[in-house]
């Protein structure tokens, strides 16, 4: 194909560049690539050349989002993805990245919308499961206490009612 396909650690396609041919930015047989600082070196086996590419504002924004993620700065990560999505509306990796940043901050309900937009069933399921766990954690104690009080109340209420009925029958 002669193109360079760049993927995230999760295997999501981020961007493609290059093409077949001998022109600038094209390759005959690209076989390896590595980042050297903010530059990308691509080795073309057929031409026996190494081509260095400077990052664009687009790729710097993507790399910035991943760096923020690695540092655990999910707010900065979200801001990077949102800026990308604003400039390149409908760019799925940015939409997914926003969802992941929200997910990593524990904002599961908000992340569901982004995972649904990108049709990412894996992350949608994880977020939904965590949302259910959050809900259970928040309300389970109240429900259990309420159920125990209801059972205790029914027990004593029935006990009182039985005594009342026996007393009423004895007085007749």
């Amino acid at each position: 194909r002669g193109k360079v396909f760049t993927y995230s650690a999760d295997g999501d396609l981020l961007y493609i560049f290059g093409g077949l041919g001998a022109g600038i930015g094209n390759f005959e047989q690209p076989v390896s690539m590595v980042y050297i600082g903010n530059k990308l070196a691509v080795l073309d086996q057929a031409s026996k050349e190494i081509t260095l590419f400077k990052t664009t504002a687009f790729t710097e924004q993507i790399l910035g989002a991943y760096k923020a993620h690695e540092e655990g700065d999910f707010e900065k990560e979200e801001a990077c993805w949102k800026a990308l999505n604003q400039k390149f509306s409908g760019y799925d990796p940015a939409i997914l990245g926003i969802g992941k940043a929200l997910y990593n901050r524990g904002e599961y309900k908000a992340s569901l919308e982004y995972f649904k937009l990108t049709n990412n069933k894996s992350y949608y399921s994880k977020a939904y499961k965590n949302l259910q766990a959050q809900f259970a954690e928040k309300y389970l104690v109240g429900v259990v206490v309420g159920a125990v009080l209801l059972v205790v109340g029914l027990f004593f209420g029935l006990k009182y009612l039985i005594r009342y009925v026996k007393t009423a029958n004895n007085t007749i």
Side-chain angles (χ1 to χ4, degrees):
R1 290 184 181 196
K3 294 182 180 183
V4 175
F5 295 80
T6 307
Y7 295 90
S8 71
D10 289 335
D12 299 315
L13 179 64
L14 297 175
Y15 51 90
I16 303 168
F17 65 94
L20 281 176
I24 295 174
N26 290 331
F27 313 101
E28 293 176 47
Q29 189 180 1
V31 292
S32 180
M33 65 182 216
V34 64
Y35 278 98
I36 303 170
N38 67 341
K39 293 181 179 167
L40 181 67
V42 178
L43 172 63
D44 189 329
Q45 186 175 8
S47 67
K48 297 183 179 18
E49 293 179 348
I50 296 175
T51 306
L52 282 177
F53 292 91
K54 270 190 348 183
T55 54
T56 63
F58 175 76
T59 56
E60 283 184 18
Q61 197 77 33
I62 292 170
L63 295 174
Y66 278 102
K67 183 178 180 191
H69 176 82
E70 288 171 10
E71 293 171 351
D73 189 348
F74 304 122
E75 288 180 15
K76 184 177 180 182
E77 177 190 12
E78 181 186 1
C80 289
W81 289 124
K82 280 187 172 180
L84 263 170
N85 192 45
Q86 194 170 19
K87 287 180 186 176
F88 305 97
S89 182
Y91 178 58
D92 274 0
I95 298 167
L96 181 60
I98 295 166
K100 287 179 180 179
L102 291 167
Y103 174 87
N104 288 325
R105 288 202 327 249
E107 296 180 35
Y108 305 119
K109 189 172 185 177
S111 72
L112 286 174
E113 175 187 339
Y114 293 95
F115 297 144
K116 188 174 183 178
L117 284 171
T118 58
N119 198 30
N120 191 306
K121 294 174 185 172
S122 174
Y123 271 98
Y124 187 93
S125 295
K126 288 178 187 179
Y128 192 76
K129 182 179 177 183
N130 282 308
L131 184 62
Q132 288 176 321
Q134 244 181 9
F135 180 83
E137 189 177 294
K138 187 174 182 179
Y139 296 107
L140 189 61
V141 171
V143 169
V144 170
V145 169
V148 168
L149 289 175
L150 180 65
V151 169
V152 169
L154 283 172
F155 175 76
F156 285 109
L158 285 172
K159 192 174 179 181
Y160 174 78
L161 183 63
I162 291 169
R163 261 194 218 152
Y164 178 76
V165 169
K166 282 183 181 179
T167 307
N169 285 342
N170 289 340
T171 56
I172 297 182

